[in-house]
């Protein structure tokens, strides 16, 4: 049955407006024109994931996600793979950067238990909220003052305040951000997070922090979960446990942030449609993206304690590989000549945001310990 108000198409190849379409080529499975093949790009993302795993195995201090971004950027610029990454492989790499990132964010919810997070105490909850809010709004304000293009200020602010590349991918997806803006923001936050793995342990004793305090500082001030683990484990198991819990509390704020960004995008579509600049057909993004609903559902499942430890470990391994493939795809969208033109301003924003998140979190740890 035809949809209301829509004329059915005739089998003779006539569209609803009466125009004729060319006859389809003969054969049982004619190729579909205009539909890009994602398999070559997905194969490159899979290869990059395997290589990132190998790098992490050889150099345990290098998180897989960090290696993935570097390998993706390299693939986009090496003579043998650069043309492929920007041509035949682009559809699959873009698909990996979007769809696999969504799946990784959903699986990230299985790391969160509301009981564990609230067990840290309301003082720590307040500290984390303060760190996230000051970093997000401070970075967003400075990025706009620096005149950065597109959604870069929003994406960098999200990455530094919440959970690095995963948060950037989630907000970029909800916002419909340009892939180049997302890739440049991921590259910046990955670089700073990697530097934090080296710099923060050097400041452990000079700043007078004990193991638990150092762990909370790392959890509140470092971006990706893998980078938090790499930096905190240098101070022992107590520091690592505190760091992971504080970090996961920041991750929990991803859902309300994405919801707020989505509401803002919906209002923008309404305003654009009213002025004639909206998306074709007045399309609106959903108020709650499906992957955010999945993330919250995963948090609820973990909170019930219904999943055995083996299932959680398997899910964590799958999440790591899925996010790694997604970051290979995002890294391959980084165009260094374009990034260089805004590189100074982007670097200034990253450095200032890093100082803010590290300084506010350090003060918060001292006040709440």
């Amino acid at each position: 049955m035809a949809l209301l108000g829509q004329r059915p198409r005739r089998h003779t190849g006539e569209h609803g407006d009466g125009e004729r379409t060319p006859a389809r080529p003969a054969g049982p499975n004619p190729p579909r024109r205009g539909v890009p093949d994602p398999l070559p790009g997905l194969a490159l993302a899979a290869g990059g994931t395997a290589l990132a795993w190998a790098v992490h195995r050889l150099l345990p201090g290098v998180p897989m996600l960090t290696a993935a971004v570097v390998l993706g950027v390299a693939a986009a610029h090496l003579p043998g793979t650069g043309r492929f990454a920007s041509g035949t492989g682009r559809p699959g790499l873009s698909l990996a950067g979007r769809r696999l990132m969504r799946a990784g964010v959903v699986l990230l919810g299985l790391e969160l238990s509301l009981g564990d997070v609230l067990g840290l105490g309301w003082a720590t909850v307040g500290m984390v909220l303060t760190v996230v809010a000051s970093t997000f709004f401070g970075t967003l304000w400075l990025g706009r003052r620096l005149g950065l293009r597109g959604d870069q200020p929003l994406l960098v602010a999200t990455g530094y305040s919440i959970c690095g590349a995963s948060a950037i991918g989630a907000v970029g997806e909800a916002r419909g951000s340009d892939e180049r803006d997302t890739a440049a923001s991921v590259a910046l936050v990955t670089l700073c997070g990697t530097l934090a793995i080296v710099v923060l342990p050097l400041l452990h004793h000079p700043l007078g922090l004990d193991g638990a305090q150092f762990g909370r500082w790392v959890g509140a001030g470092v971006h990706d979960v893998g980078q938090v683990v790499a930096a905190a484990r240098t101070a022992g198991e107590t520091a690592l446990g505190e760091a992971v819990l504080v970090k996961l509390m920041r991750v929990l704020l991803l859902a309300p942030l994405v919801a707020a960004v989505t509401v803002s995008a919906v209002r923008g579509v309404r305003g654009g449609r009213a002025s004639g600049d909206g998306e074709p057909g007045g399309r609106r993004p959903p108020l709650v993206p499906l992957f955010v609903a999945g993330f919250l559902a995963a948090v609820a499942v973990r909170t019930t304690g219904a999943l055995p430890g083996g299932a959680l470990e398997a899910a964590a391994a799958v999440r790591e590989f899925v996010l790694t493939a997604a970051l290979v795809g995002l890294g391959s969208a980084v165009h260094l000549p374009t990034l260089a033109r805004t590189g100074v301003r982007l670097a200034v924003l990253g450095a200032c945001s890093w100082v803010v998140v590290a300084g506010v979190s350090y003060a918060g740890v001292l006040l709440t310990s």
Side-chain angles (χ1 to χ4, degrees), residues 49 63-65 107 226 315-325:
T49 300
M64 281 180 60
L65 302 187
L107 291 174
V318 171
R319 183 201 76 231
E320 194 77 359
F321 280 100
V322 165
L323 287 178
T324 299

Side-chain angles (χ1 to χ4, degrees), residues 16-252:
D17 55 5
E19 294 181 359
R20 303 285 299 182
T21 57
R24 292 185 178 181
N29 294 303
R32 293 184 298 172
R33 296 182 179 179
V35 179
D37 184 5
L39 292 181
L42 290 175
L44 179 59
T49 300
L51 190 54
W53 175 82
V55 169
H56 177 63
R57 294 283 294 180
L58 291 173
L59 302 170
V62 179
M64 281 180 60
L65 302 187
T66 300
V69 175
V70 174
L71 290 171
V73 174
H77 294 86
L78 290 175
T81 57
R83 187 181 297 273
F84 175 83
S86 62
T88 305
R90 189 71 254 150
L93 290 168
S94 296
L95 181 66
R98 294 193 313 269
R99 299 293 178 86
L100 295 184
M101 181 62 74
R102 295 179 193 174
V105 169
V106 171
L107 291 174
L108 188 60
L110 291 176
E111 295 292 314
L112 293 166
S113 170
L114 292 179
D116 290 340
V117 171
L118 293 177
L120 288 172
W122 290 109
T124 302
V125 172
M127 182 267 287
V128 171
L129 291 174
T130 301
V131 169
V132 169
S134 58
T135 303
F136 179 80
F137 289 108
T139 303
L140 185 61
W141 174 83
L142 181 58
R144 288 172 175 170
R145 290 296 297 267
L146 290 171
L148 289 174
R149 55 165 283 174
D151 284 340
Q152 283 184 356
L154 173 65
L155 296 173
V156 173
T158 299
Y160 275 82
S161 60
I162 303 292
C163 56
S166 302
I168 290 173
V171 169
E173 182 70 26
R175 180 80 175 175
S177 302
D178 185 277
E179 187 178 27
R180 293 168 298 177
D181 290 344
T182 302
S185 303
V186 165
L188 176 67
V189 78
T190 301
L191 172 62
C192 290
T194 303
L195 292 175
I197 297 174
V198 178
V199 174
L200 266 61
L202 297 176
L203 298 175
H204 176 187
H205 296 297
L207 291 177
L209 299 174
D210 60 28
Q213 289 174 324
F214 178 74
R216 292 190 177 200
W217 183 44
V218 170
V222 180
H223 317 314
D224 279 309
V225 175
Q227 295 163 346
V228 167
V229 171
R233 66 158 47 113
T234 62
E237 292 300 318
T238 299
L240 180 59
E242 292 288 324
V244 170
L245 283 177
V246 172
K247 177 61 190 174
L248 293 180
M249 188 184 299
R250 288 170 63 196
V251 173
L252 189 61

